[in-house]
Amino acid sequence: MDQYKKLCHLNSSPDCKNIDLSSFIALGSECFLDCKAFENIDLSSIEEFSPNCFSGCDRISKLKVKHIEGVRIHELFASDIGFFNDNYKNLRDLTVISAENVQDSYFESYANIVNIAFVSSVASLGVNAFKDCLNLTNITIDYIGNQIPDSCFSGCQKLLNIVELKNVSIIGRNAFENCISLSSLPDLSSVTKIGSFAFANTKIKNCTINPDIDYENETNLIDGKMLDCGGRRLGVRMEGFEYTWQD
């Protein structure tokens, strides 16, 4: 690797909030150690990270980063005491580049992130990919995959919108369970199978579904909520719930 393309250490001004990293493609261990003033970081040119390159940078609120398989976001903020610390506690806005596939549990429990935007199309999402992102409100993604896997967005309590399901044929178990702010769904007419409790404990009261859909069990709507989105009984009118069979 070209040595001039790797940043090994930075002695930054205590007032430095932003830095131009476009000349670098790699970051060394602790190269931004305790750069407390950093708020907005663009890592779109970086292709290689050391796990703790932002250790102690606890004011970063906006991050643009290239997706690198096997490296989770919180590892960039890790310190000697381990990965599970609060160094990324102020991270609110995350832009992800080149994330063709999002692995299992990749963003799981990133409780403070509010907005996630994917710049390029995403072909697959992993199990638990966004599980328990408690403050995730908006996700911008061009999703071209064919399924929403088990518990993918489970526990995203403030999520207001979900990915377009234009190519999705399978929604897994508990996929949107406990998304308590979610009140509407896109067209589900392309979906042929829905797992149990896929939309449990949401505010969803209407949807358009495929009449030939395969439900995992026969659990019915209860109290007008899509507790399971299961069974042919969905075709029975429930108080407070409107449905449309897709011709």
Side-chain angles (χ1 to χ4, degrees), residues 7-245:
L7 180 61
C8 295
H9 184 70
L10 176 72
N11 290 318
S12 71
S13 164
D15 298 323
C16 180
K17 295 183 178 181
N18 305 285
I19 185 172
D20 182 4
L21 296 172
S22 59
S23 298
F24 299 95
I25 61 174
L27 299 179
S29 178
E30 296 185 343
C31 60
F32 297 105
L33 178 64
D34 292 331
C35 292
K36 296 290 188 181
F38 279 169
E39 294 180 356
N40 185 354
I41 301 294
D42 186 344
L43 301 178
S44 55
S45 67
I46 306 299
E47 299 177 359
E48 180 183 320
F49 299 96
S50 293
N52 53 356
C53 53
F54 288 99
S55 178
C57 302
D58 56 9
R59 294 185 183 179
I60 295 178
S61 61
K62 183 177 291 187
L63 183 65
K64 187 174 184 179
V65 62
K66 183 175 293 185
H67 177 271
I68 297 179
E69 187 171 352
V71 179
R72 294 188 65 199
I73 303 300
H74 72 266
E75 295 176 23
L76 307 182
F77 297 87
S79 66
D80 291 339
I81 62 173
F83 289 164
F84 300 100
N85 54 68
D86 293 329
N87 282 339
Y88 61 101
K89 62 185 178 182
N90 288 314
L91 185 59
R92 299 289 185 270
D93 297 291
L94 180 63
T95 301
V96 184
I97 302 171
S98 303
E100 182 178 352
N101 302 292
V102 178
Q103 292 85 28
D104 294 352
S105 302
Y106 193 80
F107 296 101
E108 183 177 356
S109 298
Y110 285 9
N112 296 312
I113 291 181
V114 176
N115 304 297
I116 298 180
F118 291 85
V119 173
S120 55
S121 298
V122 175
S124 68
L125 297 174
V127 173
N128 300 332
F130 302 94
K131 183 179 180 181
D132 292 333
C133 290
L134 301 179
N135 284 290
L136 180 61
T137 303
N138 300 294
I139 180 167
T140 302
I141 182 172
D142 178 20
Y143 186 53
I144 58 176
N146 64 2
Q147 66 175 307
I148 305 294
D150 294 354
S151 301
C152 188
F153 293 93
S154 175
C156 295
Q157 297 181 2
K158 294 186 178 181
L159 189 65
L160 298 177
N161 62 79
I162 65 174
V163 300
E164 288 295 324
L165 304 177
K166 56 187 177 183
N167 298 307
V168 172
S169 58
I170 299 173
I171 298 178
R173 300 177 182 178
N174 312 98
F176 296 95
E177 182 181 19
N178 293 324
C179 292
I180 59 177
S181 299
L182 193 62
S183 60
S184 63
L185 286 173
D187 193 325
L188 297 182
S189 58
S190 66
V191 177
T192 58
K193 184 175 182 179
I194 296 180
S196 60
F197 298 96
F199 300 99
N201 197 23
T202 68
K203 294 181 179 179
I204 297 169
K205 291 190 176 182
N206 60 78
C207 68
T208 299
I209 57 179
N210 188 327
D212 298 320
I213 202 163
D214 177 17
Y215 299 102
E216 192 168 68
N217 60 43
E218 293 296 321
T219 304
N220 196 4
L221 296 170
I222 300 175
D223 295 331
K225 293 185 178 180
M226 197 180 295
L227 293 185
D228 192 308
C229 195
R232 286 297 178 184
R233 297 176 186 176
L234 188 62
V236 178
R237 179 83 178 204
M238 300 290 293
E239 184 178 356
F241 187 90
E242 297 180 0
Y243 62 90
T244 302
W245 292 113

